[in-house]
Amino acid sequence: VLYERAQRARYRLRYLSSVEFSTLMALAEVLTPDPKQLVEPLDVADRVDSYLASFRAKGKWVVRLALIGLSVYPILTLHPPFSMMSHQTRLAFVQRRFLSDVWGRRLPAFIRTVVQAMIRAAQQLAFLGYYEDERAAKECGYLKFSERPDYDELIESVDWDRPRVKCLGPQDVHSDVVTTDVAIIGSGAAGSVLAYELARQGREVLILERGLHVDPSEFTEIESQQLSTLYADGALTLSKDFRFQILQGMCVGGSTVVNNGVCFEIPARALAAWQNPDGLDAGLDAGELQRSYAAVEHLIRVQALTHASPLQTGWRKFAAGIEKLNLTDPPYSQGFFRCN
């Protein structure tokens, strides 16, 4: 207990234990090799600890469990704890136990799922430690929007007079009973469009959203603040099989707030699979689907991105990859779109 207290005081830990903290440092060292030593593993772990302490979420115990598991897992194969390995031994262990054994399906299915969950959650934290680091941003050429040459032009193009969303919080409701024609759970893409159409037809609609309402004027360029405010579980949600991260919005507007406004139609191959009588047999009317696309695109002002667009330029890398892979099916052949 005294040792743990001493370590927590030494590193000024706010959320992680000393074992979890040292394991995260060790993982960052092998996952993101940094020949220039711009960002020390200590900085990565310290930033993650501060981030995890900044918000409350039900799923945070998963990442703590993953770090503890990663620390003791090597003992099962007669290795020292993860953070006590030498750099080369630790790197070889990660490559064998978390890459070869998992992807080569050398482990039983249940153990493979647990191991995969452990490394995926810990890996997510290690990457998170680079957010907001000016040294890392400079090295990869990332500029905040406010520092870009076309920032003033972009701000001037924004329609600041557009209607703003007004919300009622729990403190604004003074009754145990609320009546409405239609109650919709969730304010994301499906819920908001459905509510709009019903309200346009004269129905009284109540949208219920578990997340906060954050006005665009309150958005910042502090990534950790935005992640903890706008995403479910601070963007730490993983799929049930732990194979990939789920960036699910939890705010008024849902995931439409955090998905960069990317819009595209259902790919032809996916739609064909949905319509297949031997598959989902969705029974979608193709003509009605196209009319719905057109109506939503008009409603949210979807427009095609061009190389002259003053938006983020990272999409050009994806465009180059699509061209190189010769992906000709929609939506790839239609370009990239964004709602205004």
Side-chain angles (χ1 to χ4, degrees), residues 4 16 22 29 40 57 73 89 130 150 173 175 184 186 209 219-220 237 243 251 258 264 340:
E4 176 65 17
L16 298 174
S22 59
E29 188 179 5
E40 296 290 339
Y73 181 57
T89 304
Y130 284 85
D150 47 22
V173 180
S175 173
I184 295 177
E209 170 60 55
F219 284 19
T220 72
T237 307
R243 293 189 177 185
C251 56
V258 299
F264 57 86
N340 185 8

Side-chain angles (χ1 to χ4, degrees), residues 93-237:
F93 183 85
V94 169
Q95 290 174 336
R96 179 180 179 184
R97 300 298 177 183
F98 296 114
L99 295 179
S100 301
D101 287 358
V102 171
W103 297 112
R105 298 181 179 274
R106 298 173 184 171
L107 298 171
F110 171 74
I111 297 178
R112 188 168 65 245
T113 299
V114 173
V115 171
Q116 194 170 30
M118 186 165 55
I119 189 63
R120 186 67 186 88
Q123 179 188 47
Q124 185 178 351
L125 290 180
F127 294 156
L128 183 65
Y130 284 85
Y131 285 15
E132 298 174 41
D133 192 289
E134 294 183 359
R135 297 162 296 183
K138 183 178 180 181
E139 179 67 14
C140 68
Y142 174 79
L143 282 177
K144 295 180 180 178
F145 275 92
S146 59
E147 298 173 354
R148 298 180 186 182
D150 47 22
Y151 176 73
D152 291 336
E153 178 185 349
L154 178 61
I155 291 298
E156 291 177 0
S157 67
V158 175
D159 181 6
W160 296 106
D161 294 328
R162 291 178 66 177
R164 310 298 275 269
V165 174
K166 295 181 180 180
C167 300
L168 296 177
Q171 71 280 359
D172 301 312
V173 180
H174 306 292
S175 173
D176 293 335
V177 178
V178 178
T179 58
T180 183
D181 290 342
V182 181
I184 295 177
I185 311 300
S187 59
S192 58
V193 172
L194 181 59
Y196 174 83
E197 288 298 327
L198 287 170
R200 197 163 63 92
Q201 296 174 23
R203 295 293 189 93
E204 183 181 45
V205 183
L206 174 66
I207 302 179
L208 302 175
E209 170 60 55
R210 64 173 176 167
L212 299 173
H213 173 227
V214 184
D215 189 85
S217 63
E218 300 173 13
F219 284 19
T220 72
E221 292 181 296
I222 303 175
E223 290 174 293
S224 60
Q225 185 181 88
Q226 295 299 93
L227 288 173
S228 62
T229 303
L230 301 176
Y231 289 81
D233 285 337
L236 297 177
T237 307

Side-chain angles (χ1 to χ4, degrees), residues 20-31 41-42 45 70 81-85 87 90-91 94:
E20 296 160 357
F21 189 79
S22 59
T23 301
L24 186 56
M25 281 196 293
L27 182 65
E29 188 179 5
V30 295
L31 269 188
L42 176 61
L70 179 61
F82 191 78
S83 61
M84 296 182 182
M85 292 179 176
H87 181 276
R90 195 184 315 133
L91 179 60
V94 169

Side-chain angles (χ1 to χ4, degrees), residues 278-300:
D278 297 327
L280 294 177
D281 194 17
L284 296 174
D285 184 291
E288 185 61 30
L289 186 62
Q290 286 300 322
R291 287 189 290 272
S292 298
Y293 279 138
V296 173
E297 288 172 4
H298 175 74
L299 177 64
I300 63 176

